[in-house]
Amino acid sequence: MRNTFVLRWGQGLIGLAALIAVLELLPRTSLVSARYLPPFSTMMTALRRQLGEASFWSALLNTAQAWAIGLTIAMILGIVLGLVIGSFPLLRELTFSTIEFLRPIPSVALIPLVVLMFGTRMQGTLVLVVYASLWQVLIQVLYGVQDVDPVVRETARSYRFGRMAQVRHVVWPTALPFVMTGFRLAATVALVLTITAELVIGSPGIGKQIAVAQSSGAVATMYSLVIVTGALGVLVNLLARALERRVLAWHPSHRSEVIA
Amino acid sequence: MTAEKLARTATLGAALPALLLALWWVATADSTDPYVPPLSLIFSTFPETWTAERLQHDVIPSLARLLSGFVLAVVIGVAAGVAVGSFHGLRHTLEPVLEFLRAIPSPVLIPVVILFAGIDDTMKILVIVYGCVWPVLLNTVEGVRAIDSVLTDTSRCYGINRSARLRHLILPGASPHIFAGMRQALSLSIILMVIGEMFAASNGLGFSIVQFQRSFAIPEMWTGIIVLGLVGIALSLLLGLIERRALAWYFGLRRSQRRE
């Protein structure tokens, strides 16, 4: 068991090393012009220089802030709306068409509007982030609420659980795995939208730094920032998965993993 | 009876959108805020803005980019996904690399792709392909892995060769997952198309909406947002239709399993 684990990690490291080698060798052998794709080592030098600059860290902080605030608003809105709509069949029927209609509207369609209303302030980014990630949470919560076992629900009713108690002890634990799936999806979408908004609108953050690096021809810096966004994405994924495992440690689908 | 039920669903489904539109209409009826023009003005601007000529000049090129990028991404994603999903070694080696590449928010790649491909259609299509490949690829990998091992072993015992196994077992078996990936990829492709065009283009939906915004043609900009929303909805309905046809066997199977 342990050996296969080590083996898998080893293989993964070989894969990463191969990617780095390709990135280093393509420009060195001039298969690709170094003006378009600088060698990996040059990207890393640029990255080290970035890490020493205050502007990089403040951009990173801006991005993290917009991401966290947007995601929090989307989560709260999505959970509350989902629990309310999901609990009443009439509301569900009423809102179904509207949700299905609004959901596929690409959030970037709102960019021009947001630019007019907020300029490059953070609120603009937040509108896009919340709009895009709200649906991920809301849909999952709706699924989750519908997934409640009718026997459990009727038992709770027989024992005269009030509406709040039912939500707390019956609906919420059933919906929690769905909520966490929604959280994982929303966390990724929120990061993508945060960086996109910064890139396109120009509100402060890593995305804007990339746009600036591109327009000033600092190719290596641009690549190093792209790598940073990738690392951020991986980090968000890992965090979301870790949180999911923690919150759902009691759930059967996660319990088996612990025993094995 | 069923007609009555259908009528009920239709009324309930139409009620909230109608109410929201009415609210929007009333709330903005004598709006003097230049950014939020009256809905009546937006509606009356609609036909003169989206003429046949504009449809041909902006909407068709956008859709062409979107569809070619999407189709290419699906083909590449499924092919690579089947390969990665079928060979354990390959999967373990590539997993961290794929995790990282997928985590890079795809709009960030626009400046990178501009370096290589300039700002013409190739750039926009490449960005769409890059962004949309990941959900298809990762879902295909999951789908291939989730195929019942009894089926795999059986087909091997009967001496069914590789290409027949691919056509009759692996692809159909993974298709529910593949469609889930395509659904994610579709909404991404719209986002990437719009951003690509906002960044650098001379025609297209994203380009014209930004043009409207920059020239403060606000009602026209609103109509553009509405058109984008309609495109999003139409494409997702279309994919849903294709999915229901292609996966009719799967939905039927699930229904019958549920009933047991």
Side-chain angles (χ1 to χ4, degrees), chain B:
Chain B
M1 190 60 208
T2 39
E4 207 174 285
K5 214 168 155 190
L6 204 71
R8 187 187 135 85
T9 317
T11 329
L12 282 177
L16 189 61
L19 183 72
L20 288 177
L21 274 179
L23 266 180
W24 186 1
W25 187 284
V26 173
T28 60
D30 15 64
S31 157
T32 48
D33 186 340
Y35 297 156
V36 190
L39 187 57
S40 51
L41 182 62
I42 296 176
F43 277 160
S44 61
T45 333
F46 202 95
E48 55 195 74
T49 311
W50 298 94
T51 53
E53 193 195 349
R54 189 178 282 281
L55 285 181
Q56 199 190 354
H57 189 244
D58 285 323
V59 181
I60 303 288
S62 282
L63 287 179
R65 286 170 197 144
L66 188 148
L67 288 179
S68 35
F70 179 70
V71 170
L72 263 175
V74 170
V75 171
I76 298 174
V78 169
V82 167
V84 174
S86 308
F87 302 106
H88 288 274
L90 194 60
R91 196 175 74 236
H92 294 325
T93 311
L94 288 183
E95 209 163 25
V97 174
L98 293 180
E99 280 288 317
F100 178 75
L101 290 180
R102 177 186 69 141
I104 298 176
S106 28
V108 163
L109 268 301
I110 293 176
V112 175
V113 178
I114 287 180
L115 281 179
F116 285 95
I119 57 167
D120 56 0
D121 281 353
T122 326
M123 176 278 265
K124 279 147 221 144
I125 295 173
L126 273 181
V127 170
I128 297 176
V129 171
Y130 181 88
C132 297
V133 145
W134 305 112
V136 179
L137 196 161
L138 293 169
N139 276 291
T140 309
V141 171
E142 283 306 306
V144 171
R145 287 180 59 191
I147 291 174
D148 191 351
S149 57
V150 175
L151 288 178
T152 321
D153 293 344
T154 310
S155 66
R156 214 171 269 155
C157 285
Y158 279 100
I160 295 168
N161 64 15
R162 218 167 243 288
S163 66
R165 214 157 60 212
L166 183 69
R167 255 192 56 205
H168 298 292
L169 172 67
I170 297 179
L171 283 182
S175 55
H177 281 88
I178 294 177
F179 267 99
M182 281 167 68
R183 187 161 280 286
Q184 290 171 28
L186 185 69
S187 47
L188 257 180
S189 69
I190 301 174
I191 293 180
L192 292 173
M193 175 213 45
V194 174
I195 297 177
E197 289 174 353
M198 282 180 174
F199 225 80
S202 51
N203 65 352
L205 269 170
F207 170 75
S208 38
I209 294 180
V210 167
Q211 249 355 66
F212 290 143
Q213 175 229 319
R214 294 208 177 124
S215 54
F216 286 92
I218 308 298
E220 284 82 354
M221 180 194 86
W222 274 98
T223 62
I225 294 177
I226 294 175
V227 168
L228 255 186
L230 290 177
V231 167
I233 293 159
L235 286 175
S236 102
L237 283 179
L238 188 68
L239 186 67
L241 217 67
I242 296 173
E243 185 179 9
R244 259 202 298 286
R245 280 203 77 133
L247 295 183
W249 62 272
Y250 171 73
F251 291 126
L253 183 72
R254 228 176 37 172
R255 255 201 308 280
S256 72
Q257 278 171 346
R258 284 234 174 114
R259 214 174 286 145
E260 270 165 22

Side-chain angles (χ1 to χ4, degrees), chain A residues 116-196:
Chain A
L116 285 180
M117 303 235 265
F118 301 108
T120 59
R121 275 176 296 159
M122 198 211 266
Q123 286 97 316
T125 311
L126 287 182
V127 171
L128 297 180
V129 172
V130 171
Y131 186 86
S133 34
L134 173 65
W135 305 114
Q136 314 282 345
V137 187
L138 180 61
I139 299 286
Q140 288 296 330
V141 176
L142 285 178
Y143 280 141
V145 175
Q146 276 179 47
D147 202 46
V148 172
D149 187 345
V151 177
V152 178
R153 195 206 311 266
E154 268 143 40
T155 310
R157 210 175 276 160
S158 311
Y159 281 101
R160 296 224 176 157
F161 275 41
R163 207 163 251 296
M164 279 322 282
Q166 267 187 47
V167 168
R168 244 197 84 198
H169 299 290
V170 179
V171 178
W172 180 245
T174 315
L176 198 55
F178 292 86
V179 173
M180 291 317 293
T181 308
F183 174 73
R184 197 152 39 78
L185 295 173
T188 319
V189 170
L191 183 70
V192 172
L193 260 293
T194 310
I195 291 174
T196 305

Side-chain angles (χ1 to χ4, degrees), chain A:
Chain A
M1 194 64 214
R2 193 165 176 84
N3 261 334
T4 54
F5 186 72
V6 172
L7 193 71
R8 276 190 56 177
W9 268 93
Q11 273 182 326
L13 284 180
I14 293 173
L16 274 182
L19 178 71
I20 292 173
V22 168
L23 282 179
E24 182 73 34
L25 288 178
L26 275 182
R28 290 245 182 257
T29 54
S30 22
L31 277 172
V32 179
S33 161
R35 264 193 318 165
Y36 299 157
L37 181 76
F40 185 74
S41 49
T42 316
M43 292 181 203
M44 282 298 114
T45 320
L47 180 61
R48 258 201 302 282
R49 211 175 34 243
Q50 283 289 311
L51 292 182
E53 275 173 34
S55 62
F56 169 80
W57 291 105
S58 68
L60 192 64
L61 190 67
N62 277 320
T63 302
Q65 251 173 1
W67 171 79
I69 299 176
L71 182 61
T72 312
I73 300 176
M75 283 301 290
I76 294 174
L77 265 180
I79 291 173
V80 171
L81 278 178
L83 284 179
V84 172
I85 294 174
S87 307
F88 302 98
L90 184 71
L91 264 184
R92 211 162 49 221
E93 275 184 272
L94 261 176
T95 50
F96 174 75
S97 62
T98 312
I99 293 176
E100 283 306 305
F101 185 82
L102 289 177
R103 192 163 60 120
I105 295 178
S107 49
V108 287
L110 302 176
I111 286 183
L113 190 66
V114 162
V115 170
L116 285 180
M117 303 235 265
F118 301 108
T120 59
R121 275 176 296 159
M122 198 211 266
Q123 286 97 316
T125 311
L126 287 182
V127 171
L128 297 180
V129 172
V130 171
Y131 186 86
S133 34
L134 173 65
W135 305 114
Q136 314 282 345
V137 187
L138 180 61
I139 299 286
Q140 288 296 330
V141 176
L142 285 178
Y143 280 141
V145 175
Q146 276 179 47
D147 202 46
V148 172
D149 187 345
V151 177
V152 178
R153 195 206 311 266
E154 268 143 40
T155 310
R157 210 175 276 160
S158 311
Y159 281 101
R160 296 224 176 157
F161 275 41
R163 207 163 251 296
M164 279 322 282
Q166 267 187 47
V167 168
R168 244 197 84 198
H169 299 290
V170 179
V171 178
W172 180 245
T174 315
L176 198 55
F178 292 86
V179 173
M180 291 317 293
T181 308
F183 174 73
R184 197 152 39 78
L185 295 173
T188 319
V189 170
L191 183 70
V192 172
L193 260 293
T194 310
I195 291 174
T196 305
E198 291 162 1
L199 185 74
V200 180
I201 304 176
S203 39
I206 295 287
K208 186 188 175 191
Q209 301 290 97
I210 292 178
V212 170
Q214 186 239 346
S215 53
S216 61
V219 178
T221 309
M222 183 183 84
Y223 274 102
S224 71
L225 290 170
V226 169
I227 293 175
V228 169
T229 62
L232 273 182
V234 172
L235 192 69
V236 164
N237 262 331
L238 290 178
L239 279 178
R241 271 185 223 164
L243 186 71
E244 189 175 7
R245 256 200 307 278
R246 262 199 95 123
V247 173
L248 295 179
W250 55 273
H251 198 266
S253 69
H254 284 256
R255 255 188 342 223
S256 58
E257 278 177 26
V258 181
I259 297 164

